[in-house]
Amino acid sequence: MIASITPLIAHPWADYALLDSGHGRKLERYGKIIVNRPEPQALWGPTLTEVDWDQADAIFTNTGDEDADAGKWRLCSDAPESWPVEWEGVKFICRLMSFRHMGLFPEQLTHWHWVNEKVAKANRPLNILNLFAYTGAASLAAAKAGASVTHLDASKKAIQWAKDNQGASGLNDAPIRWICDDAKAFVARELRRGRKYDGIIMDPPKFGRGPDGERWQIEEDLVDFLGSCVELLSDDPSFVILTAYAMRLSSVSLGNLMHDILKDRGGSIEYGELLIEQENKQRFLSTSLYSRWAAKE
Ligand SMILES: C[S@@+](CC[C@H](N)C(=O)[O-])C[C@H]1O[C@@H](n2cnc3c(N)ncnc32)[C@H](O)[C@@H]1O
């Protein structure tokens, strides 16, 4: 099996750009709204001027530890409470969340493109499982490309948000099964039921809770969980994608684990960092780690 370290670079698109970064912050445009928020990776100095940074419609300040997500937004214009961001016909409703996110992780567009290619090349509708699926960007991108999707998240609010994105995208008739459940419990149940999937996407948090308080801890749970997920793959599977944010593990560990679990199935593995290229092409910003497996085509 071929395994390679490959950085995945998200370039700006019409509705998203990383405008600048530096001094522990980043300046981004999400649709019509410019946000200035903390970015612990930005050890360097900014390239744009203070006047450019002053264009921000909203500025996030941490209330505690700079590495923690808690904090609050200050509005500098009459920015709306929510607004749409579009990618290839899929609409994501963005909101200023109290944990410094907008409900969309633009660096993941490299995965959305890759899945779309897999869906387009398959001469059958792929059946995809999206775990820890949050506001549904990957689910909607895959469904728009023609896949059947099972979307799972522990948060009812996140699922409602994903359904709102589905409606905004005009994808109400797309075959998406919405499941509010604990990821480990659901995967165990699907194994007992003998269900199979052609592609699996997962973006597990470092720490999380299922709807009934079930504990998820990435360092403790990932190895067995990934092993169980791989058992859910169909006889003619297409891919597995694992993305992870803020953790002690490295992308090499994620790649080696993926190799270990899938080595008998052939195909290829890539792993590395998800990067965003700054709009002025001055630098990349690393946002997260990934490893992904593709069956031999
Ligand atoms: C980092 S977000 C995923 C981001 C998303 N993939 C995207 O690109 O927009 C993690 C998600 O995992 C969910 N979650 C946390 N613990 C869970 C658990 N035990 N079972 C299922 N989902 C869980 C959270 O509700 C949250 O929506």
Side-chain angles (χ1 to χ4, degrees):
M1 182 188 282
I2 306 156
S4 57
I5 302 184
T6 313
L8 298 184
I9 302 169
H11 301 286
W13 79 86
D15 259 6
Y16 174 79
L18 172 62
L19 303 171
D20 198 14
S21 55
H23 292 164
R25 303 196 67 88
K26 59 186 168 189
L27 187 71
E28 298 162 286
R29 182 170 44 71
Y30 276 77
K32 292 194 171 82
I33 302 298
I34 296 180
V35 292
N36 167 345
R37 54 183 176 144
E39 176 47 73
Q41 299 280 340
L43 304 177
W44 46 84
T47 52
L48 298 182
T49 64
E50 257 180 54
V51 176
D52 297 315
W53 281 74
D54 284 346
Q55 288 173 16
D57 296 288
I59 301 176
F60 188 91
T61 317
N62 284 105
T63 41
D65 177 0
E66 265 299 304
D67 264 352
D69 287 338
K72 54 178 191 295
W73 289 98
R74 177 166 62 83
L75 290 185
C76 314
S77 70
D78 49 2
E81 232 172 66
S82 66
W83 69 98
V85 166
E86 188 166 338
W87 176 80
E88 302 208 347
V90 186
K91 284 199 179 132
F92 311 112
I93 298 163
C94 287
R95 300 190 177 107
L96 299 173
M97 302 298 288
S98 57
F99 44 90
R100 88 174 167 201
H101 295 150
M102 262 70 59
L104 179 66
F105 293 83
E107 61 275 14
Q108 299 220 2
L109 107 155
T110 48
H111 287 330
W112 310 334
H113 275 299
W114 194 72
V115 169
N116 283 4
E117 276 170 29
K118 303 277 172 218
V119 172
K121 275 191 198 156
N123 48 9
R124 62 203 159 108
L126 293 185
N127 184 18
I128 294 177
L129 175 60
N130 185 13
L131 296 161
F132 305 96
Y134 193 40
T135 54
S139 300
L140 295 172
K144 178 140 200 304
S148 298
V149 180
T150 298
H151 169 113
L152 178 134
D153 199 278
S155 155
K156 271 194 192 145
K157 275 191 188 161
I159 290 189
Q160 186 52 53
W161 192 343
K163 286 182 179 174
D164 292 345
N165 288 339
Q166 180 187 28
S169 305
L171 290 171
N172 279 335
D173 294 333
I176 304 179
R177 196 159 67 108
W178 303 102
I179 313 269
C180 182
D181 202 347
D182 174 58
K184 280 193 289 182
F186 177 78
V187 166
R189 223 173 295 123
E190 290 291 79
L191 275 175
R192 288 197 294 275
R193 291 182 189 124
R195 294 217 29 152
K196 296 288 175 191
Y197 294 91
D198 303 311
I200 302 181
I201 302 168
M202 68 185 87
D203 184 4
K206 186 176 162 54
F207 181 78
R209 292 270 182 200
D212 294 321
E214 301 94 331
R215 208 178 123 88
W216 166 268
Q217 176 79 54
I218 198 162
E219 281 93 356
E220 283 168 21
D221 292 321
L222 184 63
V223 175
D224 288 347
F225 183 72
L226 190 60
S228 301
C229 287
V230 164
E231 285 180 49
L232 286 179
L233 287 175
S234 65
D235 292 341
D236 187 12
S238 178
F239 65 85
V240 177
I241 302 177
L242 163 66
T243 310
Y245 289 76
M247 50 191 266
R248 275 189 281 131
L249 302 171
S250 76
S251 68
V252 178
S253 305
L254 301 184
N256 290 350
L257 172 63
M258 193 75 101
H259 183 271
D260 211 26
I261 293 178
L262 283 149
K263 59 180 178 295
D264 296 334
R265 294 193 179 237
S268 57
I269 284 175
E270 294 173 298
Y271 58 94
E273 301 183 22
L274 292 191
L275 308 177
I276 302 183
E277 184 178 34
Q278 217 162 275
E279 191 180 52
N280 59 13
K281 302 200 184 301
Q282 299 262 339
R283 55 171 79 98
F284 300 113
L285 178 68
S286 171
T287 63
S288 49
L289 313 173
Y290 83 96
S291 76
R292 64 189 187 186
W293 169 82
K296 194 165 187 289
E297 281 168 2

